[in-house]
Amino acid sequence: MAIAADTIRVKDLGRMQGWRENAIVGYGIVTGLAGTGDSSNNKTTRQALANVFSQFNLTIAPDQVQSRNVAVVLVTAALPTFAHEGDTLDITVTSAGDARSLVGGSLLMTPLKAANGRVYALAQGPLSVGGYRYDANGNVVQKNHPTVGSVPGGATVEVGVSAQIMNAQQGVVFLLAEPDYTTATRIATAINSQVGAGLARARDAAGVEIHVPDASRDLLTNYLTKIENVMVQPDRRAKVVINERTGTVVSGGDVRISKVAISHGDLKISIRTDNSASQPFVIGNAGPNIRTEIVSNTRVDVEEQNGPGFVPANNNTVADLVQSLAKLKTNTRDIISILRAVKAAGALHAELVVQ
């Protein structure tokens, strides 16, 4: 069966309902800092460190803890679908106090909890910080954010999780990453033609209901593999994305423009100031009011093209318009302004996204 060049797999268009990641978070202590930890004014750090010492039969009052080598931190991670006991997770460690830097620190064992309050993983290990901060005598040298670090594979899953893919109706639901009625209908049609007739139907713009036959329920993995590899041609919504900060314009090559005439003129204004010293010529002793003065000479130059550029656009695409503007040596920022004006005139048949 011939497959069109612009068709892609169903699995690249979304996910199965029930497939999700779970956020887990914990509160811990980073030790081993070289005097860059939380200050003694941070009562939370002193209380937390006193609690740690109490677990080792060391009774110390929180007000007696005086150390800038520790910092209280928040630890976050994402628990993936079908995580098993013993799997490792990457964690992110962020300072929760007034520590100046976490460079060189090591995270003590920290339980990570989900929204239900249950512990799913334990985190511990030396931090990797992509920055630094050093200060002495009022001089500070800093790179990036030294109060945020990570520990690759620093958390171990203690409680596994699983996803319930099949629903009570003995089927699965495929959710589109970008809801679209046309794409949902095409996915259902492609599944019915490539896997089996009558298996799928478009529920709405975001979901496609897929029936699981009795013979495939015991081999659900193989059945979903067939569904994920079904080839379909998704429908694209016309969009033009522009970024004014970087001067970038991205659009589909077939975004249409109705009949419109664009007149573009370039005006260049140059203002330059020359400062020179005026030295008086004096013979003999100079009086108290005779001195050197700084004189500023300002010049304004205005340059304009011989005539405005004229770009006719009759049933063209954005690509044709941009190519025509490039022939007039129009810079990217002017092209952005022109596209916004064309959209305001109602001639650009696409969603204009300004970043």
Side-chain angles (χ1 to χ4, degrees):
M1 180 178 59
I3 301 296
D6 54 352
T7 59
I8 62 176
R9 298 177 301 175
V10 167
K11 68 181 303 181
D12 298 324
L13 295 175
R15 61 179 177 85
M16 293 295 177
Q17 188 174 21
W19 188 285
R20 51 164 291 178
E21 290 188 343
N22 302 275
I24 52 179
V25 63
Y27 165 84
I29 297 178
V30 171
T31 62
L33 304 177
T36 60
D38 295 336
S39 64
S40 58
N41 296 327
N42 196 319
K43 296 181 180 180
T44 304
T45 306
R46 293 187 296 175
Q47 181 65 57
L49 193 57
N51 294 342
V52 172
F53 288 153
S54 65
Q55 298 179 14
F56 299 96
N57 299 325
L58 295 174
T59 304
I60 299 177
D63 56 357
Q64 294 179 350
V65 177
Q66 301 291 334
S67 176
R68 291 221 60 170
N69 295 338
V70 296
V72 292
V73 293
L74 293 176
V75 184
T76 59
L79 189 65
T81 310
F82 300 111
H84 298 86
E85 296 181 6
D87 292 347
T88 58
L89 308 174
D90 297 339
I91 60 175
T92 301
V93 181
T94 59
S95 174
D98 55 356
R100 298 194 300 269
S101 175
L102 298 179
V103 174
S106 181
L107 176 68
L108 296 183
M109 185 174 62
T110 303
L112 302 180
K113 300 180 180 180
N116 58 5
R118 187 178 180 183
V119 176
Y120 283 89
L122 295 177
Q124 182 172 283
L127 269 65
S128 174
V129 181
Y132 56 80
R133 175 189 170 97
Y134 302 101
D135 57 274
N137 300 325
N139 298 319
V140 179
V141 178
Q142 179 174 332
K143 178 182 179 181
N144 297 336
H145 297 279
T147 54
V148 178
S150 62
V151 183
T156 303
V157 177
E158 298 295 328
V159 178
V161 295
S162 60
Q164 185 66 30
I165 302 298
M166 187 178 297
N167 54 31
Q169 290 75 29
Q170 302 301 317
V172 296
V173 178
F174 181 80
L175 301 177
L176 279 72
E178 297 183 0
D180 184 83
Y181 285 108
T182 303
T183 302
T185 302
R186 289 180 181 178
I187 291 176
T189 303
I191 293 175
N192 292 331
S193 62
Q194 300 179 34
V195 179
L199 293 177
R201 73 176 185 90
R203 183 183 63 183
D204 50 33
V208 178
E209 294 181 348
I210 306 171
H211 177 69
V212 180
D214 296 338
S216 301
R217 291 171 188 172
D218 294 334
L219 299 175
L220 183 60
T221 301
N222 296 338
Y223 181 73
L224 294 181
T225 300
K226 296 180 182 179
I227 298 298
E228 289 182 340
N229 287 278
V230 169
M231 304 301 294
V232 64
Q233 182 180 2
D235 190 60
R236 295 185 302 175
R237 184 173 300 175
K239 288 185 179 181
V240 178
V241 181
I242 60 177
N243 191 318
E244 292 185 316
R245 295 187 299 274
T246 61
T248 304
V249 180
V250 179
S251 70
D254 55 351
V255 176
R256 311 300 297 184
I257 297 178
S258 297
K259 183 178 180 180
V260 64
I262 302 170
S263 179
H264 173 68
D266 189 13
L267 182 66
K268 181 179 179 181
I269 301 176
S270 176
I271 302 176
R272 185 173 62 183
T273 301
D274 297 328
N275 296 322
S276 60
S278 176
Q279 182 67 38
F281 180 75
V282 179
I283 300 177
N285 295 328
N289 296 325
I290 299 178
R291 59 182 182 276
T292 301
E293 290 288 344
I294 301 299
V295 180
S296 298
N297 296 317
T298 302
R299 185 175 61 186
V300 179
D301 297 329
V302 179
E303 297 181 5
E304 190 173 7
Q305 291 181 345
N306 295 331
F310 181 77
V311 182
N314 185 11
N315 199 25
N316 288 332
T317 64
V318 170
D320 297 331
L321 175 60
V322 172
Q323 185 177 7
S324 300
L325 293 173
K327 292 180 180 179
L328 296 176
K329 298 181 179 181
T330 307
N331 60 49
T332 307
R333 299 192 182 278
D334 288 339
I335 293 177
I336 291 176
S337 300
I338 292 173
L339 288 176
R340 298 184 69 172
V342 172
K343 176 64 175 179
L348 178 61
H349 303 293
E351 180 183 357
L352 192 62
V353 180
V354 181
Q355 296 180 341

